[in-house]
Amino acid sequence: MTDTIDLDGLQRLLWNFAGQRVVTVAGRTGILHALANRAATPDEVASELDLDPLATAKIIRALCAQNLVAADGETYRLAAPLRPFFTGGTGDYGPFLDHLHSMYERWGENLEPWLRGEAWKTAPRTSEETARFGAAMQAVSARIARRVAETLDLEGVRTMLDVGGGWGQYAKAMCETQPELHATVLDVPQVADAAPESILGTEFEDRLSWIGGDYLETDYGNGFDLVLLANILHQELAPRAAEIIRRAAVALAPGGQVVVVDFAIDDAKNQHVLGALFAVNMRSFGDTYSEPELRGWMEEAGLANVERQDLGPDRWIISGRRR
Ligand SMILES: C[S@@+](CC[C@H](N)C(=O)[O-])C[C@H]1O[C@@H](n2cnc3c(N)ncnc32)[C@H](O)[C@@H]1O
């Protein structure tokens, strides 16, 4: 079975309730990384990472039971399809595992009080937490963004606005696919002020720029060939999500397209595992939106030719064009 795990499979496993703690503990202590480059016994891993041998052996066996790690006699190695995700660099999943770990810690603390109608305890992100969240999003998004760029028809697309585009992970992937493209990324000032430094001296320096502001208040400008809404509608309630789509449609040139990239879910919102779990994670401030909801908002915004393209089992692109 291990050779069938890909990015979608990995994400499903990471979101699995039963396995979550084990995987994140492993991520934090580097077990997955330790087994990415070579096979090792649990004792060797424990000694390398200065961990308790019994606990390490149990965790590695539990990882094996979930197909994340493969056994060969006494030694274990990360399943082959997962190795590229744990070898360091910007696409490494370590920051994403840290993000999931703190997310599940907050679930442990807040889920029951939330169910009783009490407020979810949150504090504004510190700048260090913002940077960590940005690294987690970049790790997840870099690969998916490439898939999105390959799936979309970007011919003739010269200008795009990436609303809530973070550190420009999607904008970069689109610029790599479409050499004539220039992208504007709109994000909160904390991100928009810090992100440009990350592209200094790179091929993107003259092709990406940032605007800092709230996406429900800031002027989007106009005349864009493409306005991207990647993973932002889910963090808003329905009226605000619909308003973001309306604003995006207004910012288009005639013939331009609004492109939504987000988690998929079935129409009744009770069958799709990741979509339904993600809706819990968006607790009372957001949701996983169904295709009819997204289509409806696009059509209300005057967009035509609304179409859906699946990006594996858990994500989709839903796009519509300005007439
Ligand atoms: C889940 S991340 C998605 C980032 C990127 N689009 C992607 O798919 O990788 C959500 C982004 O929305 C930004 N954001 C949240 N609230 C915002 C607001 N009110 N105005 C502008 N950006 C906002 C966050 O800073 C973050 O970069």
Side-chain angles (χ1 to χ4, degrees):
M1 283 299 286
T2 51
D3 60 349
T4 62
I5 298 175
D6 59 4
L7 179 59
D8 300 310
L10 173 63
Q11 295 230 336
R12 286 188 162 204
L13 282 167
L14 295 178
W15 274 84
N16 177 295
F17 277 110
Q20 185 61 44
R21 285 281 159 192
V22 167
V23 172
T24 53
V25 169
R28 283 195 139 194
T29 54
I31 292 176
L32 299 181
H33 292 90
L35 293 174
N37 294 321
R38 56 139 180 38
T41 64
D43 277 353
E44 286 165 347
V45 173
S47 145
E48 183 191 333
L49 299 176
D50 197 19
L51 300 174
D52 178 80
L54 174 71
T56 305
K58 286 194 169 185
I59 285 178
I60 289 179
R61 291 200 292 267
L63 291 170
C64 187
Q66 295 178 87
N67 291 331
L68 290 165
V69 159
D72 182 7
E74 298 295 304
T75 65
Y76 292 87
R77 185 151 184 208
L78 196 62
L82 302 186
R83 289 175 205 156
F85 300 105
F86 295 96
T87 49
T90 45
D92 190 276
Y93 256 48
F96 184 65
L97 292 181
D98 281 347
H99 167 62
L100 282 183
H101 185 89
S102 57
M103 186 188 94
Y104 272 81
E105 274 179 346
R106 289 195 303 270
W107 278 35
E109 207 183 309
N110 283 303
L111 214 48
E112 191 186 327
W114 177 60
L115 204 51
R116 295 186 196 288
E118 293 167 26
W120 193 286
K121 289 189 219 95
T122 49
R125 282 197 182 113
T126 63
S127 52
E128 194 191 313
E129 285 167 339
T130 301
R132 267 212 308 272
F133 180 70
M137 288 305 111
Q138 283 188 74
V140 176
S141 291
R143 286 182 179 84
I144 299 169
R146 274 200 296 279
R147 246 199 252 173
V148 169
E150 284 159 15
T151 305
L152 290 173
D153 177 8
L154 295 177
E155 200 175 325
V157 175
R158 303 252 152 75
T159 55
M160 75 171 265
L161 175 68
D162 187 356
V163 181
W167 293 69
Q169 45 272 24
Y170 276 81
K172 285 181 202 161
M174 314 270 257
C175 283
E176 277 170 346
T177 304
Q178 166 52 282
E180 291 163 1
L181 180 63
H182 284 77
T184 306
V185 181
L186 167 63
D187 210 289
V188 294
Q190 216 179 355
V191 173
D193 292 345
E197 204 184 317
S198 66
I199 57 162
L200 287 182
T202 73
E203 60 185 299
F204 302 112
E205 194 172 343
D206 298 326
R207 298 176 65 197
L208 254 71
S209 57
W210 274 263
I211 304 174
D214 188 314
Y215 48 42
L216 279 156
E217 288 168 13
T218 308
D219 182 8
Y220 286 9
N222 53 51
F224 291 101
D225 297 320
L226 192 151
V227 179
L228 179 67
L229 309 175
N231 302 306
I232 60 160
L233 298 181
H234 64 228
Q235 65 197 11
E236 301 293 345
L237 291 176
R240 288 167 62 94
E243 172 62 9
I244 292 171
I245 290 183
R246 191 197 65 76
R247 294 177 124 243
V250 170
L252 289 176
Q257 54 181 324
V258 171
V259 174
V260 172
V261 178
D262 224 313
F263 287 99
I265 197 162
D266 57 298
D267 293 358
K269 302 194 182 190
N270 60 12
Q271 295 299 307
H272 194 288
V273 175
L274 192 60
L277 282 174
F278 195 78
V280 173
N281 196 38
M282 292 297 102
R283 42 192 202 268
S284 305
F285 65 78
D287 205 353
T288 312
Y289 292 112
S290 66
E291 183 179 354
E293 286 174 307
L294 292 165
R295 274 183 178 273
W297 297 332
M298 285 193 168
E299 284 160 10
E300 272 167 30
L303 298 170
N305 305 110
V306 177
E307 66 169 27
R308 161 182 158 189
Q309 292 163 285
D310 290 330
L311 295 164
D314 295 325
R315 289 166 205 272
W316 57 30
I317 297 175
I318 298 188
S319 58
R321 283 193 186 270
R322 182 171 165 183
R323 294 183 183 92

